[in-house]
C-alpha cells in the first residue's frame, strides 16, 4: 500500500512568488492534515480536513495560505505571495476515520520550501 | 495553549550506551502522548504511544517511554543504542479538546557513533 506522498520534494522560489504544494493521502483516509516545521523548531499544526471539509484551520498563519481538498482526495496548499518566513518543511499526514477519538496519523516525506 | 518541550536538541552517543530523551508538556487535562522518529531520508514514523493504563509503554526497536503525570513528562529510553538509531526524535501530544491536533516538540537529533 502506498504511503502519503508529497510533491514537490523541494521548492525554491523568490519572495512574492506563488507556490503550490500537493499531498496525496493514503487511499481511503478521510482525514488529512498539514503541518509545518520552520528550521530547527517544532512541527506546527496548520489545518485538518475531513474529506473535503476544513475541520480545523486554527494553525494557518495568515490569509496568504490557502488549502483545498476538492473531492476529498488529494490536497493542495498554496502560498501567495510567499514571504521569507514561509521557508520550512511542510508535512502532510493522513489518517483513517475509525469513529474513535484518536486516529493514527501517517506522515509524508515533506516538501522543503525555500523562499529567497 | 499546549506546548511540548524537548530538552536536548542534539545528543551524541556511542553504540551500546543508554539513551534517555526528555519530553515535558503543558496541559492539565487528558492527553495522548507520542514519540515519532525520522530516520535520515525517511518519513516521520510512530515509535510508541500512550493513551491510558500502564504508564510504561514499549514501542518498536526496543524503545520505551514512561508517562509521569505529576511531572507532565514522557521521557523516551533505550538501554543500548545502535548506530541505526541515528535519527531525529519528536515528542508529541494531543489533548482532550482536539485529538486530531498534534503539538510537537522541536525534536532531538541523535547521533550514534559506531
Amino acid at each position: 500500500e502506498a504511503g502519503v506522498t508529497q510533491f514537490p520534494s523541494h521548492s525554491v522560489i523568490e519572495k512574492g512568488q506563488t507556490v503550490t504544494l500537493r499531498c496525496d493521502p493514503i487511499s481511503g483516509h478521510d482525514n488529512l492534515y498539514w503541518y509545518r516545521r520552520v528550521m530547527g523548531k517544532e512541527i506546527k499544526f496548520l489545518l485538518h480536513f475531513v474529506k473535503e471539509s476544513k475541520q480545523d484551520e486554527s494553525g494557518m498563519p495568515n490569509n496568504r495560505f490557502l488549502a483545498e481538498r476538492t473531492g476529498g482526495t488529494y490536497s493542495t496548499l498554496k502560498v501567495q505571495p510567499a514571504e521569507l518566513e514561509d521557508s520550512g518543511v511542510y508535512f502532510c499526514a493522513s489518517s483513517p476515520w475509525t469513529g474513535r477519538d484518536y486516529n493514527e496519523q501517517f506522515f509524508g516525506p515533506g516538501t522543503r520550501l525555500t523562499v529567497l | 495553549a499546549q506546548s511540548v518541550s524537548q530538552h536536548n536538541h542534539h545528543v551524541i552517543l556511542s553504540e551500546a550506551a543508554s539513551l534517555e530523551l526528555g519530553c515535558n508538556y503543558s496541559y492539565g487535562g487528558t492527553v495522548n502522548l507520542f514519540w515519532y522518529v525520522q530516520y535520515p531520508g525517511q518519513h516521520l514514523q510512530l515509535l510508541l504511544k500512550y493513551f491510558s493504563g500502564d504508564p510504561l509503554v514499549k514501542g518498536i526497536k526496543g524503545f520505551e517511554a514512561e508517562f509521569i503525570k505529576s511531572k507532565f513528562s514522557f521521557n523516551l529510553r533505550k538501554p543500548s543504542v545502535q548506530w541505526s538509531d541515528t535519527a531525529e526524535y519528536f515528542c508529541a501530544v494531543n489533548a482532550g479538546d482536539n485529538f486530531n491536533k498534534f503539538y510537537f516538540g522541536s525534536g532531538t537529533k541523535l547521533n550514534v557513533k559506531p
Side-chain angles (χ1 to χ4, degrees):
Chain A
E1 180 183 307
V4 177
T5 58
Q6 293 186 244
F7 182 83
S9 56
H10 293 87
S11 180
V12 181
I13 61 172
E14 293 189 351
K15 175 181 170 181
Q17 290 185 321
T18 297
V19 63
T20 300
L21 313 181
R22 174 173 169 142
C23 169
D24 286 79
I26 293 172
S27 178
H29 281 192
D30 287 339
N31 294 298
L32 187 149
Y33 313 82
W34 283 99
Y35 293 85
R36 176 174 74 171
R37 188 185 191 199
V38 173
M39 190 172 67
K41 299 200 172 179
E42 69 271 25
I43 300 170
K44 281 194 172 180
F45 170 88
L46 296 179
L47 88 161
H48 168 212
F49 283 100
V50 177
K51 297 185 179 178
E52 66 275 9
S53 300
K54 291 175 187 174
Q55 187 77 11
D56 180 355
E57 51 184 330
S58 60
M60 294 289 264
N62 51 60
N63 59 11
R64 295 185 294 102
F65 288 75
L66 175 64
E68 294 181 321
R69 193 183 182 195
T70 307
T73 54
Y74 72 91
S75 175
T76 58
L77 179 65
K78 181 190 286 189
V79 185
Q80 179 183 30
E83 298 289 344
L84 298 179
E85 64 265 25
D86 300 333
S87 296
V89 181
Y90 290 76
F91 292 100
C92 177
S94 71
S95 70
W97 180 259
T98 63
R100 295 195 299 265
D101 286 336
Y102 164 70
N103 304 291
E104 180 175 341
Q105 297 186 19
F106 297 85
F107 282 79
T111 293
R112 182 175 295 277
L113 174 65
T114 302
V115 182
L116 302 175
Chain B
Q2 293 84 348
S3 67
V4 179
S5 298
Q6 291 184 240
H7 316 298
N8 315 99
H9 297 294
H10 197 178
V11 173
I12 301 172
L13 294 174
S14 297
E15 277 195 313
S18 64
L19 170 72
E20 181 161 2
L21 302 182
C23 172
N24 287 88
Y25 65 93
S26 66
Y27 185 73
T30 302
V31 293
N32 298 321
L33 299 154
F34 308 83
W35 277 95
Y36 276 83
V37 60
Q38 187 172 27
Y39 297 103
Q42 295 190 26
H43 303 194
L44 274 165
Q45 302 171 37
L46 182 65
L47 203 53
L48 49 78
K49 59 184 183 280
Y50 171 81
F51 292 163
S52 63
D54 188 343
L56 184 63
V57 292
K58 295 192 183 299
I60 59 173
K61 304 186 180 185
F63 286 90
E64 64 179 32
E66 184 176 12
F67 170 49
I68 303 179
K69 189 174 181 180
S70 61
K71 294 184 177 180
F72 296 89
S73 71
F74 190 56
N75 292 355
L76 181 71
R77 300 195 292 250
K78 186 170 184 179
S80 176
V81 295
Q82 300 172 316
W83 176 78
S84 58
D85 294 324
T86 294
E88 191 160 18
Y89 294 80
F90 295 89
C91 182
V93 170
N94 62 29
D97 59 345
N98 185 350
F99 285 118
N100 280 292
K101 187 173 180 178
F102 276 75
Y103 296 87
F104 283 88
S106 55
T108 297
K109 286 186 179 177
L110 172 64
N111 190 350
V112 180
K113 294 183 174 180

